[in-house]
Amino acid sequence: MNQKFYDELKKIVSEEKIKVDEPMKSHTTFRVGGPAAFFVAPETKEEIKAIVECCKEQAMPYYIVGNGSNLLVSDKGYEGVIIQIFKAMNQITVDGEMITAQAGALLSAVASRALDAELTGFEFAAGIPGTLGGACVMNAGAYGGEMKDVLENVTVLTEDGEFVTLAKEKLELGYRTSVIAKKGYIVVEAEIRLKKGNPAEIKAYMDELREK
């Protein structure tokens, strides 16, 4: 273990948030993958920024994951830092027709909150097994809907270490791509604009898509 790097990480996040030689099979939906040299689960965007800066200063490779869906990790593992943006950053708030959610929120959870708030437009994402952050990066879509249809803006950490909020028009959302993917940005939060709908119809459509 790189003790110096471990000590630097402990200055950023609490020790229980850092795992050494963590098997990635525990963090992917395929349930395969060897050990990550370091596995960190930050709780704030500031912690993400500090961890990334630490990795760059120490020339330590890093990779961002959410809930590990559609992620295939080698049995050899990863000789670097896995930064997991998932359960420690999954807050969702609703204000009128706007939903604000952290990057680690599951799409299914966002869809459930939308249903509770009688908001329609996010049903397509209810069955996609991923987080909001990953969905923004790749403009996830299914059943005729895409993230570009509902995103208002996305807050990212840039390669220069700055937090920037990008309006939908600046995201360059295309088929399974975005400016986020092209420039290596890290999603920390997104705002989604929906419309008021009939909760019974919303639930029926979500159930139909889930069945499919």
Side-chain angles (χ1 to χ4, degrees), residues 17-99:
K17 290 286 181 183
I18 309 167
K19 296 180 180 178
V20 178
D21 292 332
E22 176 69 5
M24 287 304 295
K25 66 181 180 181
S26 300
H27 304 282
T28 61
T29 54
F30 287 128
R31 294 291 178 254
V32 296
F38 296 95
F39 185 95
V40 191
E43 292 184 339
T44 66
K45 65 180 184 180
E46 289 76 20
E47 286 182 354
I48 296 171
K49 178 179 177 178
I51 293 166
V52 170
E53 286 175 351
C54 180
C55 289
K56 289 180 177 178
E57 287 169 5
Q58 303 287 331
M60 179 72 74
Y62 64 92
Y63 190 81
I64 309 295
V65 303
N67 73 325
S69 58
N70 291 344
L71 180 66
L72 203 54
V73 182
S74 167
D75 287 341
K76 294 179 181 177
Y78 184 71
E79 285 296 324
V81 184
I82 295 292
I83 304 172
Q84 186 194 51
I85 304 175
F86 189 24
K87 292 178 182 176
M89 288 187 66
N90 67 356
Q91 291 183 354
I92 304 167
T93 57
V94 181
D95 183 10
E97 297 183 349
M98 190 81 78
I99 293 180

Side-chain angles (χ1 to χ4, degrees), residues 122-191:
F122 206 72
E123 293 90 334
F124 75 90
I128 299 176
T131 57
L132 182 61
C136 293
V137 173
M138 64 174 289
N139 184 30
Y143 304 112
E146 289 181 291
M147 292 302 296
K148 70 178 178 63
D149 302 328
V150 294
L151 278 174
E152 184 79 2
N153 60 62
V154 178
T155 301
V156 300
L157 176 65
T158 70
E159 283 281 279
D160 297 327
E162 296 179 348
F163 291 110
V164 178
T165 299
L166 300 170
K168 177 169 65 175
E169 297 75 26
K170 302 273 187 174
L171 292 172
E172 299 177 20
L173 296 166
Y175 182 72
R176 304 299 171 260
T177 188
S178 68
V179 71
I180 303 166
K182 295 169 188 170
K183 295 198 173 182
Y185 294 160
I186 299 172
V187 177
V188 294
E189 189 177 88
E191 286 190 323

